[in-house]
Amino acid sequence: MRYFFHYRDAERYFADAEGTDLNDLETAQSEGRLSARELLGSERAESDPDFLAGAYEISDADGMLLAVVQFDETEPKVR
Amino acid sequence: MDTPAYNNRLLQLMSHDDRAALGTLERIVLPMKQRIDGAEDAKFVYFIEVGVASVIADVDGKMAVELGIVGPEGMVGLGAVYGDSVDPFQTVMQVEGSAIRADAESVRRAVAERLELRAVLLKFARAFSIQVSTTALANGRSKLDERLARWLLMVADRAGPTFSITHEFISVMLGVRRSGVTLAIQILEGKHFIRATRGSIAILDRAGLTAAANGAYGFAEQHYARLLGEPV
């Protein structure tokens, strides 16, 4: 199934028009957490606070919200 | 003068006699996704005139990440300069173009015999190894958006300010998730550094993008300029 990772924080909303084919919602949530870690990098203090407080809203192709992945709830990337 | 115009920095830097020593130089078209590494038997060396090639480490098809990129400032098939006929990495055209193709054995022989030719090609080998080193630094220390900014600038340096590329392809090259690439592209677009349309990207603000790279872009480029001058 194709999952879409829309980003939202206090200031911004960026829709994902591309989507990624993944096996199931659990895999999509894991993908969202890994992606958030990549975006935040290893020095979280350097990330802008809005971005750190942001989240992926995972939806299907019809726009149905399936899950939310909070960026600040992901484990920091291990160096 | 009988010097043909080559749109490749290394060929431009060679004397007529050094270029002649490379053997038959054939201009060939390189479509997107064309493999131009020699794998077990590197028969050719490519002096790129148009387009961009990615050098990719792909170990048993399991781990793939881009090591460096080459365009009209360089060559593909550096093994010939080192006297090696095996190519351990894949090289794939990521932006279509064309190249001057030379026989690898002729290049190996010419490099062994001709001091000035060897100096030009070794300088590029040095510049390319510095580029690959900064890729390692960026992969280990820079955030996704910084690495993306660096990568877009490096492609634009070689392909021009507008080029066709998919988010999926960028994610494979950077070794990151596609979703983060799509988001980082939109953030850079929101700052008016780039304009992204489906399947293509245009660089609007080089200075802004360089600042967004946060130090990841510029070091290798300065060393290239030191060694070989400003690229074409």
Side-chain angles (χ1 to χ4, degrees):
Chain A
M1 188 164 134
R2 202 154 184 88
Y3 293 91
F4 295 78
F5 297 77
H6 314 292
Y7 172 83
R8 189 189 295 280
D9 64 27
E11 305 241 304
R12 297 167 289 195
Y13 177 75
F14 292 117
D16 177 10
E18 306 271 324
T20 303
D21 285 320
L22 296 163
N23 284 340
D24 50 36
L25 183 58
E26 202 180 320
T27 310
Q29 287 173 291
S30 162
E31 186 85 354
R33 283 191 292 271
L34 291 165
S35 178
R37 280 169 49 171
E38 288 165 357
L39 285 156
L40 290 168
S42 50
E43 299 290 342
R44 296 202 166 192
E46 292 172 9
S47 294
D48 82 80
D50 277 332
F51 199 53
L52 195 51
Y56 272 134
E57 298 179 351
I58 304 175
S59 80
D60 62 17
D62 298 324
M64 175 74 79
L65 181 64
L66 303 173
V68 175
V69 173
Q70 295 288 344
F71 276 29
D72 63 1
E73 287 172 11
T74 60
E75 291 296 311
K77 188 174 160 188
V78 180
R79 270 207 172 146
Chain B
M1 296 294 286
D2 61 347
T3 306
Y6 291 112
N7 188 46
N8 176 277
R9 183 67 182 158
L10 304 182
L11 290 174
Q12 287 170 0
L13 289 170
M14 291 172 201
S15 70
H16 178 272
D17 288 351
D18 280 348
R19 267 200 308 271
L22 297 174
T24 308
L25 299 179
E26 222 182 338
R27 186 171 272 127
I28 60 159
V29 170
L30 298 171
M32 194 165 129
K33 294 187 178 164
Q34 169 103 12
R35 284 266 307 260
I36 54 171
D37 56 276
E40 296 299 304
D41 183 15
K43 287 190 171 67
F44 299 108
V45 167
Y46 298 83
F47 297 95
I48 294 176
E49 290 196 294
V50 179
V52 183
S54 283
V55 182
I56 299 161
D58 187 350
V59 179
D60 301 332
K62 285 183 215 151
M63 306 181 292
V65 72
E66 187 180 64
L67 304 172
I69 69 176
V70 182
E73 89 294 355
M75 61 177 279
V76 172
L78 270 173
V81 179
Y82 296 124
D84 189 5
S85 61
V86 171
D87 200 338
F89 304 120
Q90 291 184 12
T91 302
V92 181
M93 293 305 289
Q94 57 159 276
V95 176
E96 64 179 2
S98 63
I100 298 293
R101 190 172 74 175
D103 173 63
E105 185 51 45
S106 304
V107 173
R108 266 194 296 279
R109 209 176 315 118
V111 163
E113 290 166 2
R114 305 181 76 89
L115 208 59
E116 285 177 17
L117 174 69
R118 185 159 69 233
V120 168
L121 298 183
L122 280 176
K123 278 181 183 178
F124 174 69
R126 174 65 172 156
F128 188 70
S129 87
I130 293 170
Q131 186 208 124
V132 173
S133 305
T134 61
T135 302
L137 181 63
N139 289 1
R141 282 287 188 259
S142 299
K143 290 187 292 180
L144 197 167
D145 54 330
E146 297 162 352
R147 292 175 54 204
L148 175 66
R150 169 183 187 262
W151 192 83
L152 293 175
L153 284 162
M154 288 174 66
V155 174
D157 284 347
R158 293 159 176 87
T162 303
F163 45 87
S164 296
I165 216 91
T166 65
H167 299 185
E168 179 66 33
F169 182 82
I170 297 173
S171 78
V172 173
M173 290 302 100
L174 296 181
V176 298
R177 270 81 195 167
R178 195 280 315 162
S179 46
V181 170
T182 298
L183 175 55
I185 283 173
Q186 291 185 87
I187 289 173
L188 292 176
E189 197 172 21
K191 292 174 178 170
H192 307 293
F193 296 163
I194 62 173
R195 186 174 60 243
T197 48
R198 205 167 180 83
S200 95
I201 287 180
I203 309 295
L204 304 179
D205 180 353
R206 278 192 63 90
L209 211 49
T210 303
N214 195 22
Y217 174 82
F219 183 85
E221 288 71 21
Q222 282 164 25
H223 281 282
Y224 181 97
R226 173 178 66 79
L227 289 158
L228 292 154
E230 293 298 329
V232 279

